[in-house]
Amino acid sequence: MAGFAAVLAVLTVAAVVGSASARFVVEKSAVKVIRPEHIKGRHDAALANFGVPNYGGTMVGVVKYQVNSTACNAFDGEPFKTGASRRPAILLVDRGDCYFALKAWNAQQAGAAAVLVADNIDEPLLTMDNPEESQNTDYVDKINIPAALINREFGAALKKALAKRDELVIIKLDWRESMPHPDERVEYEFWTNSNDECGPRCDDQMSFVKNFKGHAQLLERGGFAQFTPRYITWFCPDAYLLSKQCKAQCINKGRYCAPDPEQDFSEGYDGKDVVIENLRQLCVHRVGNETGRPWVWWDFVTDFHVRCSMKNKSYSRDCAEEVNRCMGDPEADAENDVLKIEQEIQIGHGSRGDVTILPTLVINNIQYRGKLESKTVLKAICAGFKEATEPPVCLNQDMETNECLRSNGGCWQDPKSNITACKDTFRGRLCVCPVVNNVKYEGDGYIACKAVGPGRCAMDNGGCWTETKDKQTYSACLDSELTGCRCPNGFYGDGYKCEDIDECKEKLACNCPECQCKNKWGGYDCKCKGDLVYIKGEDTCIAKSNNASKFGWILSIIVISCVAGAGLAGYIFYKYRLRTYMDSEIMAIMSQYMPLDSHNNEIQSLRQESTAL
């Protein structure tokens, strides 16, 4: 075991040397003081590696503090349970004397909804980590409240305000910007290990994979998320390449190494078995990506844990040979393309820190803080979506509170049409005018939304006036106009309210001396005295008599006579043309048998005889 410890130390040092300037990024949330007035402002707080940060959400609460309390001992009862103020209690405790996680656990047991640890020295904010695994730290997995570290100056200001006891100190914990949410897809990585003999930490990560598998595959199949598994490896320094320890824990001549699963080189599996299985699982994901099925990694890993558990001594290199083509030769003195990428990504860049512990979850290039539990992680992923683009799994009642169910979220709504501008989101709600049946609404989303564009009149009449009387309907919405309302003819108003025009009273029609006007809804009736006929276009009355009727009959007879005469004349002309044509044909035939000149007299004679007949 001493030899193992020495080599493990060497490997750890090698990893640090490989990253000459290790980068540890502290993920933060915001703390805003609401009251008292003289300390109002915004401050940073460092998220803890335990507990449940409320990614994407907020919490408004009353600060509680017991003088010189480090919360290292359990409190009597639940003194911080929600009291008369009806606001949750946020317990402020001092740093020192015990694990950070124990402070949070005691605060939770005492009824606190969150805990802030005030630093006791002036230094940059740091991440409060989990304690070393032991029999006395089982409480860590039971912490379900958020915890964060604040600097000494801010902690002192809160304590001073609380000491006055003249008013409540109210603060707002804000995690809305703790998780980047740039677009409609979340990219996340899970840094893990195929070794299942590393104690409770390995058990936790395997439990997470099993429980989160359904969510992960649903998100990836729907195109909502892109998941990538990652595996940490170390390298063996040149001076130790030929040692038994490096040969047992490394592949590719010391380039990629992992600690011995049992921490004993004389029995069981070697570290290189872990590296090879890590490589195999990476290749499963790579092959899945190439075939358009990246989610098969979750099936493979959960199945592998059953079939090829190192803890149960059932592992062998034949467990998953179907992906060996991408694994390369572990004995070759050459780089492995797959593992080389893992070592490069392990080193932090930009706003991203180094990955140094397992398991580590990275969401949208930010290391996740908090307990590794399925629902908690899903909430963090949901906080990574651009607002209003979250998938349905993020909007069920177990994940968030639908603010639209209470007073419609303060947004515009049309109860008659059951249309609302309130859109539920994981982070809260948005008041946005909707699109309904391909009809777009425009407005501020809070006070008013109006249908615009084609088809708008079908949606609550475009918000315009409409009324029906005596089975007759009038509307101020015109399909030919994309916006606005205009009262129809016979009405006056702004289009949202229209009143009937009394054309008779206003002298707008039926004004001739012989006219008699009677107003009706949407128009008027105009009649003439006696036998006069009203001509609406001229707004006048004209005579109606029998002489006019007789004149019509005479005119009709004349027209018919003219048509009949034209027909008879046409017939006579046709007969004349036909007889002339026949004469010319007879003359042409006879000219073929006798001189035309010698027979002219005979033809004339014949014509005279024919005519006489």
Side-chain angles (χ1 to χ4, degrees):
M1 291 297 294
F4 166 76
V7 173
L8 183 58
V10 169
L11 292 176
T12 305
V13 171
V16 174
V17 172
S19 175
S21 56
R23 303 178 68 259
F24 300 96
V25 176
V26 177
E27 277 70 38
K28 301 173 183 177
S29 61
V31 181
K32 183 179 180 181
V33 179
I34 300 175
R35 288 193 339 214
E37 187 73 25
H38 69 278
I39 61 170
K40 285 181 68 173
R42 183 187 181 282
H43 304 267
D44 287 334
L47 299 178
N49 251 349
F50 50 82
V52 181
N54 188 16
Y55 283 107
T58 61
M59 177 189 293
V60 177
V62 179
V63 179
K64 301 290 185 179
Y65 175 70
Q66 293 187 353
V67 179
N68 297 324
S69 173
T70 58
C72 290
N73 297 313
F75 295 91
D76 293 332
E78 296 181 334
F80 308 118
K81 199 168 184 179
T82 302
S85 68
R86 302 186 66 179
R87 291 189 177 95
I90 300 173
L91 184 62
L92 177 66
V93 301
D94 294 317
R95 179 181 179 182
D97 299 339
C98 62
Y99 292 131
F100 292 118
L102 181 58
K103 299 174 187 289
W105 171 245
N106 288 333
Q108 177 178 302
Q109 292 296 92
V115 61
L116 294 178
V117 180
D119 207 342
N120 52 8
I121 59 175
D122 292 321
E123 63 177 347
L125 291 174
L126 53 83
T127 299
M128 298 186 293
D129 204 356
N130 287 309
E132 295 291 331
E133 293 173 359
S134 69
Q135 294 181 349
N136 298 324
T137 58
D138 293 342
Y139 59 84
V140 174
D141 290 336
K142 301 176 185 177
I143 300 175
N144 295 315
I145 63 173
L149 179 75
I150 60 175
N151 62 39
R152 186 172 73 166
E153 181 182 3
F154 180 39
L158 291 175
K159 295 173 191 176
K160 186 176 179 180
L162 288 165
K164 293 182 178 181
R165 299 180 181 276
D166 54 350
E167 64 176 314
L168 295 175
V169 177
I170 301 175
I171 63 174
K172 179 179 182 179
L173 305 181
D174 193 341
W175 297 270
R176 288 177 296 180
E177 299 304 320
S178 297
M179 180 63 65
H181 47 103
D183 51 39
E184 64 276 5
R185 190 180 77 166
V186 170
E187 292 83 30
Y188 68 108
E189 306 168 3
F190 184 50
W191 290 83
T192 182
N193 202 319
S194 59
N195 174 22
D196 61 358
E197 287 196 90
C198 59
R201 195 175 289 256
C202 283
D203 294 339
D204 289 345
Q205 73 178 14
M206 197 61 240
S207 175
F208 166 73
V209 170
K210 288 180 179 178
N211 294 331
F212 194 69
K213 169 184 170 182
H215 294 315
Q217 292 184 327
L218 182 66
L219 289 170
E220 200 150 20
R221 285 175 182 269
F224 300 112
Q226 181 183 44
F227 167 74
T228 306
R230 300 290 186 193
Y231 296 84
I232 293 179
T233 59
W234 297 268
F235 65 88
C236 190
D238 292 343
Y240 294 88
L241 286 178
L242 300 179
S243 67
K244 175 183 176 183
Q245 290 83 355
C246 274
K247 290 181 178 180
Q249 298 184 91
C250 308
I251 66 172
N252 292 98
K253 305 301 181 184
R255 289 178 173 84
Y256 313 104
C257 312
D260 187 280
E262 299 89 5
Q263 300 186 10
D264 188 344
F265 294 117
S266 62
E267 65 177 34
Y269 302 107
D270 295 325
K272 65 181 181 182
D273 293 323
V274 176
V275 179
I276 290 173
E277 186 51 40
N278 289 348
L279 176 58
R280 193 189 323 277
Q281 293 184 8
L282 282 169
C283 285
V284 167
H285 185 261
R286 174 175 286 194
V287 171
N289 262 334
E290 292 173 353
T291 58
R293 300 170 62 247
W295 50 83
V296 298
W297 179 88
W298 296 88
D299 294 321
F300 178 87
V301 172
T302 52
D303 181 58
F304 170 85
H305 183 68
V306 175
R307 295 186 299 107
C308 303
S309 171
M310 291 185 178
K311 182 189 294 187
N312 298 330
K313 310 302 180 186
S314 57
Y315 172 79
S316 72
R317 294 193 181 183
D318 295 328
C319 279
E321 292 297 325
E322 63 269 19
V323 294
N324 281 354
R325 62 183 179 84
C326 111
M327 294 176 59
D329 182 4
E331 304 300 328
D333 186 7
E335 297 282 1
N336 182 287
D337 292 339
V338 178
L339 293 176
K340 183 179 180 181
I341 292 173
E342 297 301 293
Q343 285 188 342
E344 291 173 350
I345 295 176
Q346 182 181 339
I347 307 303
H349 58 279
S351 62
R352 175 171 168 160
D354 296 346
V355 178
T356 57
I357 60 173
L358 292 177
T360 293
L361 190 67
V362 178
I363 305 174
N364 285 351
N365 273 332
I366 293 294
Q367 286 194 21
Y368 164 82
R369 302 299 183 192
K371 65 192 297 185
L372 194 67
E373 187 267 333
S374 178
K375 183 177 178 180
T376 306
V377 170
L378 180 58
K379 283 188 174 183
I381 290 175
C382 290
F385 289 99
K386 183 179 179 181
E387 195 163 16
T389 67
E390 303 94 340
V393 68
C394 295
L395 301 178
N396 63 58
Q397 61 183 3
D398 293 331
M399 295 296 296
E400 55 93 34
T401 301
N402 189 342
E403 296 184 11
C404 295
L405 298 179
R406 183 176 181 180
S407 301
N408 198 49
C411 304
W412 170 88
Q413 65 175 335
D414 180 5
K416 184 169 63 174
S417 302
N418 195 28
I419 298 174
T420 175
C422 190
K423 183 175 179 61
D424 182 35
T425 69
F426 180 77
R427 294 169 175 270
R429 64 94 178 93
L430 294 176
C431 292
V432 181
C433 293
V435 175
V436 182
N437 296 333
N438 296 321
V439 177
K440 183 180 179 182
Y441 282 75
E442 288 185 352
D444 60 9
Y446 294 90
I447 305 300
C449 289
K450 298 177 182 177
V452 298
R456 68 189 182 96
C457 295
M459 305 302 298
D460 191 30
N461 201 52
C464 303
W465 170 88
T466 184
E467 191 172 345
T468 300
K469 283 184 179 180
D470 300 327
K471 298 182 180 181
Q472 191 170 14
T473 300
Y474 286 96
S475 169
C477 186
L478 301 177
D479 285 322
S480 59
E481 298 180 0
L482 300 182
T483 60
C485 302
R486 182 153 50 92
C487 291
N489 293 333
F491 295 87
Y492 70 94
D494 59 4
Y496 301 99
K497 183 177 181 181
C498 298
E499 299 287 345
D500 176 57
I501 298 174
D502 190 338
E503 290 86 355
C504 302
K505 183 178 180 181
E506 300 293 334
K507 301 295 183 182
L508 300 176
C510 201
N511 290 322
C512 62
E514 301 84 2
C515 295
Q516 293 179 339
C517 186
K518 181 181 179 181
N519 187 62
K520 66 177 183 179
W521 188 67
Y524 63 92
D525 285 331
C526 189
K527 295 182 179 180
C528 296
K529 298 176 181 178
D531 293 331
L532 298 180
V533 178
Y534 180 66
I535 306 301
K536 188 173 184 179
E538 301 296 331
D539 193 30
T540 187
C541 294
I542 63 172
K544 176 182 178 184
S545 64
N546 292 331
N547 292 335
S549 178
K550 292 178 180 179
F551 174 77
W553 277 106
I554 293 171
L555 181 62
S556 299
I557 292 171
I558 293 173
V559 170
I560 293 172
S561 299
C562 290
V563 172
L568 180 60
Y571 176 75
I572 294 172
F573 178 74
Y574 166 74
K575 292 294 287 183
Y576 170 76
R577 290 289 297 168
L578 179 62
R579 186 61 177 267
T580 302
Y581 173 74
M582 291 179 64
D583 286 348
S584 63
E585 286 296 314
I586 293 171
M587 290 174 64
I589 294 171
M590 292 180 67
S591 66
Q592 295 179 12
Y593 299 97
M594 62 186 67
L596 184 60
D597 292 338
S598 62
H599 295 283
N600 279 340
N601 293 329
E602 295 180 13
I603 295 172
Q604 287 290 342
S605 175
L606 289 171
R607 183 172 297 174
Q608 292 173 358
E609 292 175 2
S610 298
T611 304
L613 291 173

